[in-house]
Amino acid sequence: MALRAGAQSQAARNGLKEKVLTLDTMNPCVQRVEYAVRGPIVLRALELEQELRQGVKKPFTEVIRANIGDAQAMGQRPITFLRQVLALCVYPDLLSSPDFPEDAKRRAQRILQACGGHSLGAYSISSGIQLIREDVAQYIKRRDGGIPADPNNIFLSTGASSAIVTVLKLLVAGEGLSRTGVLIPIPQYPLYSATLAELNAVQVDYYLDEDNVWALDVAELRRALYQARDHCRPRALCVINPGNPTGQVQTRECIEAVIRFAFEEGLFLLADEVYQDNVYAEGSRFHSFKKVLTEMGPPYAEQQELASFHSVSKGYMGECGFRGGYVEVVNMDPEVQRQMLKLMSVRLCPPLPGQALLDMVVNPPAPSDPSFQQFQAEKQDVLVELAAKAKLTEQVFNEVPGIHCNPVQGAMYSFPRVQLPPRAVHRAQELGMAPDMFFCMCLLEETGICVVPGSGFGQREGTYHFRMTILPPMEKLRVLLEKLSRFHTKFTREYS
């Protein structure tokens, strides 16, 4: 600090104007933000790609980015119907083309009629196009077996992420011992830790049970909550189901127990359900928090506050670049809900192409529509292949001494635990790295495979993991798994 101040004084003596914004004067909360999914290892992967383009010789010919759930970057083809309707919405002159099915044209016209000036280039109201919010409500009703949803409780968003951040902003308040605490699962998706750091809230960790397929244990929730009350005021509980990065799918019994716990302890529930279409394991089934909460009846159904999130980025759609999503709020104070709309109004509205894509996802072709068979076939192909990839990933990793991978019940990632030799741990410490970061960086430099160290998501002390997406094409995934397994064996031998 003194050195930096001295440098600034020297700059002033030399006639140079001091910077208004420096590391010392910027928002300290921003400096505490970390986002492992696009962290240092990804930056190095980008450098390696550049070096390969420049002809630099490497032990590999390409960088395989298995660090992020970006389906189409991994080669997944877009669903035809989604892109047909979107193309028609973006360029309505195509409505006269014979190359598009009539149901796609009708859908595009319906969406455009609901847009200002009949154009996706117009703003919408801040909560999203009314027609699309009504379609989302009907989707939720169908999904939840007839339980109604109110369009006025649905807010469209720029992916699920922006809605999650908005709800967290509403929750965060207080200073000192009254600072808001938010319970998040460990391992967690780093959006939560990053947002809480930015908002200067308190992250309250509860650990998922790795020995029980990453199950959520209410006893562990209670431990985390009671310990946190010594230094903050816990006000919210986040659950990711299906799990990211852990891939577990919560049972209905577990969800009921979580709802009772949140009700008894006065916690606002955040249900991150963006992988609800991605359920693979036999016996596993997605249950929405909204459905379970409603079916539990009073007092839970009438009083427990809930925000549940969904997105077009994952599932079978994989349309992450269009940034479409929504949040449904249940039992939120009406005055707070108005404040939420005000907060969203500052950002004007979510992108309209993302809203249009969301409408097609929640209102897909009906059995009587010309596009139905192709849509269903493409959707099923994606999900069947993902299920096969999930099984393959578990099988290959569990054949390797020193790697253990729980069943990938859902979502699109594996989170294997790796044993690292003491010499490797010591070497990582010498380099100022987390041991699993050292392992992942060596993996990248030697094989071109980019995965994310478990320390970026959180893990129990003394355990080491990495997150890897299962999205690469089957033939590439098989090669990736085999190369990674061979590397772990070689790495273990070198540092033993």
Side-chain angles (χ1 to χ4, degrees), residues 459-484:
Q459 55 198 348
R460 285 195 180 275
E461 188 74 25
T463 67
Y464 307 111
H465 302 77
F466 61 86
R467 188 189 82 162
M468 188 196 84
T469 181
I470 63 171
L471 287 171
M474 183 63 85
E475 63 278 6
K476 184 173 283 190
L477 178 66
R478 195 181 300 275
V479 171
L480 185 159
L481 292 168
E482 291 170 355
K483 286 177 69 174
L484 203 157

Side-chain angles (χ1 to χ4, degrees), residues 419-429 435 464 491-492 495-496:
Q419 293 179 6
L420 301 181
R423 282 186 58 226
V425 174
H426 180 68
R427 179 57 180 151
Q429 291 168 344
Y464 307 111
F491 183 87
T492 301
Y495 284 96
S496 293

Side-chain angles (χ1 to χ4, degrees), residues 3 5 53 55 80 84 112 129 143 177 189 207 211 225 245-246 274 297 310 324 329 415 427:
L3 287 174
R53 284 193 292 270
T80 302
Q84 285 176 331
L112 289 173
I129 295 170
R143 181 197 69 186
L177 294 178
Y189 176 49
Y207 289 89
D211 294 333
L225 178 74
T246 43
V274 303
H310 195 18
V329 295
F415 197 68
R427 179 57 180 151

Side-chain angles (χ1 to χ4, degrees), residues 200-470:
N200 200 29
V202 179
Q203 174 181 320
V204 179
D205 298 342
Y206 68 88
Y207 289 89
L208 301 175
D209 185 357
E210 183 172 11
D211 294 333
N212 192 21
V213 197
W214 299 111
L216 193 165
D217 182 6
V218 170
E220 169 60 12
L221 286 179
R222 192 167 285 112
R223 176 208 63 79
L225 178 74
Y226 291 175
Q227 288 185 2
R229 282 178 173 159
D230 292 337
H231 60 272
C232 69
R233 183 186 172 198
R235 302 182 69 203
L237 165 61
C238 170
V239 179
I240 307 173
N241 180 47
N244 175 11
T246 43
Q248 85 286 1
V249 179
Q250 302 294 352
T251 64
R252 183 190 172 93
E253 292 73 23
C254 175
I255 293 171
E256 287 184 4
V258 169
I259 290 171
R260 287 192 198 95
F261 172 80
F263 181 82
E264 291 163 5
E265 301 294 348
L267 299 173
F268 190 107
L269 266 174
L270 293 90
D272 183 336
E273 299 176 331
V274 303
Y275 295 99
Q276 59 190 256
D277 288 306
N278 300 102
V279 177
Y280 318 119
E282 187 174 343
S284 293
R285 183 182 169 197
F286 171 74
H287 301 275
S288 79
F289 267 77
K290 161 77 176 299
K291 182 176 191 288
V292 176
L293 174 64
T294 306
E295 291 179 345
M296 287 174 72
Y300 310 102
E302 297 170 349
Q303 298 179 46
Q304 176 59 48
E305 295 154 277
L306 168 71
S308 58
F309 308 91
H310 195 18
S311 167
V312 302
S313 298
K314 310 302 176 183
Y316 60 90
M317 307 81 73
E319 295 285 8
C320 24
F322 282 102
R323 314 306 300 128
Y326 73 80
V327 55
E328 181 188 20
V329 295
V330 178
N331 293 324
M332 180 177 270
D333 184 295
E335 293 299 326
V336 174
Q337 202 160 317
R338 279 189 276 274
Q339 293 295 315
M340 180 173 169
L341 179 58
K342 179 185 74 175
L343 198 53
M344 290 182 157
S345 299
V346 175
R347 300 288 181 265
L348 296 175
C349 69
L352 266 70
Q355 294 189 46
L357 264 169
L358 177 64
D359 188 72
M360 292 168 252
V361 169
V362 300
N363 187 19
S368 58
D369 290 334
S371 298
F372 177 77
Q373 287 190 343
Q374 183 180 8
F375 175 85
Q376 286 294 108
E378 291 177 352
K379 173 183 175 179
Q380 199 61 23
D381 284 349
V382 171
L383 294 176
V384 166
E385 186 172 18
L386 282 171
K389 292 174 184 177
K391 193 67 178 173
L392 176 70
T393 300
E394 176 194 351
Q395 288 174 342
V396 172
F397 278 147
N398 285 331
E399 291 171 356
V400 182
I403 300 182
H404 172 73
C405 182
N406 270 318
V408 182
Q409 296 176 324
M412 47 184 63
Y413 314 97
S414 62
F415 197 68
R417 185 173 68 235
V418 288
Q419 293 179 6
L420 301 181
R423 282 186 58 226
V425 174
H426 180 68
R427 179 57 180 151
Q429 291 168 344
E430 288 178 340
L431 296 171
M433 285 185 183
D436 47 12
M437 170 64 87
F438 176 61
F439 172 82
C440 291
M441 196 64 82
C442 292
L443 172 71
L444 175 64
E445 296 287 352
E446 189 165 322
T447 68
I449 297 171
C450 180
V451 297
V452 190
S455 49
F457 301 88
Q459 55 198 348
R460 285 195 180 275
E461 188 74 25
T463 67
Y464 307 111
H465 302 77
F466 61 86
R467 188 189 82 162
M468 188 196 84
T469 181
I470 63 171

